[in-house]
Amino acid sequence: MIALAAFRLAAYVRSHRVYQALLLALALMAIVYGSRAPRGAEASVLTDGAVLIIPVLAWAARSLLDTEPDQQREMSAIQAGGRGREVAAGLVAAFATCTVLAALSLGWALLLGVSQAPTAGVLTAVLVLHALATLTGTALGALTSRAVVSSPAVSIMALLLGFLAMLLLSASSLHWLTVPLIAWMKAANAGHLLDQLPELASVSLIWCLIGLGAYVWLRSRVG
């Protein structure tokens, strides 16, 4: 399974598809962190970055999972010892890719996006949110990959609409029905991120696991 995940990562890089997501991430970071945030706004700007990077991460996860041709995916399932290992290898490779991009975004933010280093508590909270953003991007990208949504046009629209739906729903009183992205931002802007982090992180993690579980279930049905 690990060998198959490494193979998919290598294929993703060699196909040059990785540069599409990388250029999107760099463009986003250049815009979001074009000027340093004032002192005291570290939690807010770093949380905003964690939310805004999610569609780029989803694009990267989707692109990685779509790199492998359908017939090659079937052969990989046989060689890896079953469909479950093939699916797991794809998710591991997608998560690893998203982790690198999220780490790059956070590193850029800490170096060029804030006027002073955040406190230990804020930094810990921001690390947790970027980890959850990585899981969210992986799940959204997997659910819109070709193995689940065969049409490229529908897949891209589903990815964008899925992210917008998360934003809209999380801005309402029913924010607990999705990954509460807007609630992250509101808590950071109000200075309550550390107090609300356990609740927000728990809800976010549950929905990420539901999304990944849905992908595994769909792959078991559609192959």
Side-chain angles (χ1 to χ4, degrees), residues 2-222:
I2 299 301
L4 179 56
F7 169 76
R8 285 180 164 169
L9 284 170
Y12 183 50
V13 173
R14 291 175 181 175
S15 70
H16 295 169
R17 286 189 172 197
V18 65
Y19 298 113
Q20 298 173 1
L22 180 60
L23 289 175
L24 279 174
L26 292 176
L28 176 64
M29 287 182 280
I31 295 172
V32 174
Y33 307 118
S35 59
R36 292 182 182 272
R39 295 177 184 273
E42 294 81 20
S44 177
V45 69
L46 294 175
T47 299
D48 291 351
V51 171
L52 294 175
I53 198 65
I54 288 176
V56 177
L57 301 181
W59 180 285
R62 169 186 171 275
S63 181
L64 181 142
L65 293 171
D66 286 353
T67 299
E68 191 175 38
D70 294 337
Q71 293 303 318
Q72 178 63 48
R73 188 168 63 244
E74 295 300 322
M75 293 177 60
S76 296
I78 296 174
Q79 294 174 342
R83 176 70 61 194
R85 290 187 178 183
E86 182 269 321
V87 172
L91 289 176
V92 168
F95 181 75
T97 301
C98 291
T99 298
V100 172
L101 291 174
L104 177 63
S105 174
L106 180 57
W108 185 314
L110 293 173
L111 291 174
L112 301 174
V114 293
S115 299
Q116 67 178 11
T119 63
V122 170
L123 181 58
T124 300
V126 168
L127 286 172
V128 170
L129 293 183
H130 275 77
L132 292 170
T134 303
L135 278 174
T136 303
T138 302
L140 180 58
L143 287 170
T144 55
S145 61
R146 188 177 65 247
V148 177
V149 183
S150 59
S151 170
V154 175
S155 172
I156 294 174
M157 287 190 293
L159 189 155
L160 295 176
L161 290 175
F163 178 67
L164 290 176
M166 279 193 288
L167 291 178
L168 292 174
L169 192 57
S170 63
S172 69
S173 58
L174 300 177
H175 62 271
W176 50 273
L177 289 176
T178 185
V179 180
L181 303 180
I182 299 299
W184 294 5
M185 300 169 73
K186 288 181 177 179
N189 288 328
H192 303 314
L193 181 59
L194 296 181
D195 295 332
Q196 298 182 17
L197 182 62
E199 177 186 354
L200 294 176
S202 299
V203 174
S204 301
L205 180 60
I206 289 172
W207 280 110
C208 287
L209 294 178
I210 289 174
L212 293 173
Y215 171 73
V216 172
W217 179 76
L218 288 170
R219 284 297 313 278
S220 69
R221 292 175 60 86
V222 301

